[in-house]
Amino acid sequence: MLTFPKTRKTVLSIFILLAIVFWLNGQTYAQVAGAMLKGSVTDATGATVPKAQVSIIDVATGITHNVTTDPAGTYAAANLRPGEYQVRVTATGFSVEVRSGITLTVGAQQVLDIALRVGQMSQVVEVAGEAPTVELASSEISAEITSATVRELPLNGRSWTSLA
């Protein structure tokens, strides 16, 4: 038969002890609300370009995230809002490189490597197009299912229970 303690101190002590046990044993999984854009900046020969200024511009809102490449020529910008971005890279002795049409989704880790061309900073090289669809940041394989894909599924009688 179970007996319960009568004092508040005992009840509080047991509660605190159980809370500590669950806190030490449990794993916490974070939910990701943003995306990450990372990569390296090199010159035409493949040598890294340290201290290059990388501006990541959200096309919809105009918010700019500025990062600087480290001595290894790499950069990383975390917690970016999902959407379309434009990346502008400047470095002394190189022409400005602009990449547009980069789409980031929730939880994505996009890798964008940029090769700068020797020239004056007044020269701008703009590359428009899609970012690579190959996942370079992780070995995860996934696909995004749109509402149009779900609507076009072949269902007998269009019953929602058939979909489940």
Side-chain angles (χ1 to χ4, degrees):
M1 200 173 234
L2 292 174
T3 59
F4 294 102
K6 302 287 183 194
T7 65
R8 286 185 180 177
K9 272 187 171 179
T10 309
V11 171
L12 185 60
S13 299
I14 291 172
F15 177 74
I16 291 173
L17 181 65
L18 287 174
I20 290 173
V21 167
F22 284 118
W23 180 67
L24 292 176
N25 274 343
Q27 292 181 352
T28 305
Y29 297 100
Q31 292 182 349
V32 179
M36 176 179 250
L37 183 65
K38 60 184 176 179
S40 62
V41 178
T42 58
D43 62 9
T45 64
T48 60
V49 179
K51 296 184 181 177
Q53 298 297 318
V54 181
S55 299
I56 303 164
I57 305 158
D58 187 342
V59 175
T61 62
I63 296 173
T64 303
H65 301 274
N66 294 315
V67 293
T68 305
T69 58
D70 60 11
T74 60
Y75 69 93
N79 208 15
L80 297 172
R81 187 183 77 74
E84 188 174 331
Y85 285 86
Q86 180 184 55
V87 177
R88 182 180 180 93
V89 181
T90 58
T92 306
F94 296 96
S95 58
V96 177
E97 185 83 18
V98 177
R99 300 278 174 98
S100 56
I102 299 162
T103 304
L104 299 177
T105 58
V106 174
Q109 291 189 9
Q110 184 93 19
V111 176
L112 181 65
D113 296 329
I114 298 172
L116 297 178
R117 297 181 182 127
V118 177
Q120 297 177 3
M121 289 184 75
S122 61
Q123 295 174 325
V124 177
V125 178
E126 188 165 342
V127 179
E130 292 292 319
T133 57
V134 177
E135 179 63 44
L136 300 173
S138 71
S139 62
E140 178 181 330
I141 298 174
S142 65
E144 186 174 334
I145 299 173
T146 63
S147 60
T149 305
V150 173
R151 278 193 309 271
E152 294 172 5
L153 283 173
L155 297 176
N156 187 12
R158 303 298 297 168
S159 171
W160 66 272
T161 55
S162 299
L163 179 62

